């Protein structure tokens, strides 16, 4: 009996360690996004360079999380919610790594903007509003994951218009900007790619919320219809 308790304690510690790695990774990507946005808006080349070079820490954590989760599955052969947690840990690690990649793009474009290839300040204001909203979505998603809070995760998933509205506004501004002066096309395209990177960060943050629902309730809500709530199911297309 003592040996079983010891094994159970070791197993719990392994799961706690894995959760800790995911939370550490979440903190890093949140910082990476904040720094990338600041570098972009202020055209800070030095900060942009730091964002680009810091990405290796996020990549290393993803590899470690993948290895730790795979090892636990192989050694412990978990079932039920524990198995879902381990599968979600691998998936979430991938989403967080991709958020880091998108934030790195912001750092690279910040260097470009600092060199003079920058759009009009009014366009960067729209980008700042989009970025602030995406940061909020990421923060709420990570908080829901840390607390295993299905209600909070569902609230994020239901708030589909928060990022989409700002993204559409930036796109309209950029298209108008390019049509009025084709010479600005390269600068506007750089801004467009930044906006697209921010939208993708929001998508990956929402994936984290889907993983919370999967772990806690065993429901796989990926690939549901656009705009549908997390309780919706995807209908098969008519023949």
């Amino acid at each position: 009996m003592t040996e079983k308790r010891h094994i159970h304690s070791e197993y719990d510690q392994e799961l706690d360690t894995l959760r800790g790695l995911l939370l550490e990774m979440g903190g890093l990507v949140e910082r990476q996004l904040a720094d990338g946005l600041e570098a972009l808006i202020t055209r800070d080349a030095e900060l942009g360079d730091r964002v680009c070079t810091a990405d290796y820490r996020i990549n290393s954590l993803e590899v470690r999380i993948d290895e730790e989760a795979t090892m636990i599955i192989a050694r412990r052969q978990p079932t039920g919610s524990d198995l879902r947690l381990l599968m979600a840990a691998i998936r979430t690690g991938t989403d967080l790594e991709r958020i880091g990649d998108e934030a790195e793009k912001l750092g690279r474009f910040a260097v470009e903007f600092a060199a003079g290839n920058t759009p009009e300040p009014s366009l960067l204001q729209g980008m700042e509003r989009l970025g602030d909203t995406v940061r909020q979505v990421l923060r709420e998603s990570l908080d829901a994951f840390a607390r295993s809070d299905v209600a909070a995760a569902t609230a994020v998933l239901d708030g589909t218009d928060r990022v989409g509205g700002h993204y559409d506004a930036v796109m309209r501004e950029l298209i108008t900007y390019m049509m009025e002066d084709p010479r600005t096309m390269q600068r506007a395209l750089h801004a467009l790619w930044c906006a697209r990177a921010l939208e993708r960060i929001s998508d990956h943050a929402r994936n984290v919320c889907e993983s919370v629902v999967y772990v806690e309730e065993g429901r796989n809500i990926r690939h549901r219809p656009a705009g549908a709530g997390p309780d919706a199911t995807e209908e098969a297309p008519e023949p």
Side-chain angles (χ1 to χ4, degrees):
M1 183 65 68
T2 302
E3 183 178 356
K4 287 183 178 180
R5 284 199 300 267
H6 179 66
I7 293 173
H8 185 71
S9 177
E10 285 184 348
Y11 179 39
D12 286 344
Q13 186 174 1
E14 289 170 357
L15 294 178
D16 287 342
T17 298
L18 187 62
R19 290 189 190 95
L21 291 172
L22 284 164
L23 293 176
E24 179 184 355
M25 191 176 182
L28 285 177
V29 299
E30 196 171 4
R31 182 72 262 163
Q32 186 89 327
L33 174 57
D35 288 345
L37 274 170
E38 181 179 350
L40 189 71
I41 301 303
T42 62
R43 299 182 290 281
D44 187 332
E46 183 179 350
L47 181 57
D49 278 332
R50 290 206 302 270
V51 170
C52 293
T53 56
D55 191 54
Y56 78 94
R57 297 171 61 195
I58 295 172
N59 294 340
S60 298
L61 275 172
E62 187 209 7
V63 172
R64 185 177 173 191
I65 287 167
D66 198 346
E67 291 175 344
E68 292 282 346
T70 302
M71 186 178 300
I72 294 172
I73 291 172
R75 291 177 56 193
R76 306 298 187 184
Q77 299 182 355
T79 59
S81 61
D82 285 348
L83 179 58
R84 295 198 301 270
L85 171 63
L86 292 163
M87 294 174 64
I90 295 172
R91 184 190 307 166
T92 299
T94 298
D95 279 310
L96 293 177
E97 188 274 334
R98 289 176 180 170
I99 290 173
D101 286 345
E102 299 299 335
E104 182 187 3
K105 290 179 186 177
L106 301 181
R108 291 206 311 268
F109 283 116
V111 175
E112 289 284 335
F113 289 179
N117 300 316
T118 179
E120 294 295 329
S122 61
L123 292 177
L124 290 181
Q125 289 175 3
M127 194 79 66
E128 186 172 12
R129 289 192 293 270
L130 172 61
D132 287 343
T133 304
V134 171
R135 283 185 64 190
Q136 183 179 2
V137 170
L138 177 59
R139 185 182 310 114
E140 291 173 359
S141 298
L142 293 173
D143 184 59
F145 181 85
R147 295 187 289 111
S148 302
D149 190 334
V150 173
T154 300
V156 174
L157 293 170
D158 285 342
T160 54
D161 293 336
R162 285 192 297 171
V163 172
H166 288 300
Y167 178 75
D168 290 344
V170 170
M171 290 297 100
R172 288 193 297 269
E173 290 175 356
L174 288 170
I175 291 170
T176 302
Y177 185 60
M178 288 186 286
M179 290 176 63
E180 290 178 348
D181 187 354
R183 293 172 300 177
T184 64
M185 186 169 294
Q186 182 181 10
R187 296 196 296 272
L189 284 174
H190 287 176
L192 185 151
W193 290 330
C194 291
R196 181 59 179 145
L198 289 168
E199 187 194 37
R200 285 174 176 164
I201 288 173
S202 173
D203 289 341
H204 290 300
R206 288 166 53 81
N207 289 348
V208 173
C209 290
E210 292 175 353
S211 291
V212 173
V213 176
Y214 174 66
V215 172
E216 299 303 318
E217 298 188 349
R219 292 188 294 126
N220 191 336
I221 59 174
R222 293 181 297 171
H223 310 305
R224 64 193 181 283
D231 292 325
T233 56
E234 186 171 7
E235 295 181 358
E238 294 183 1

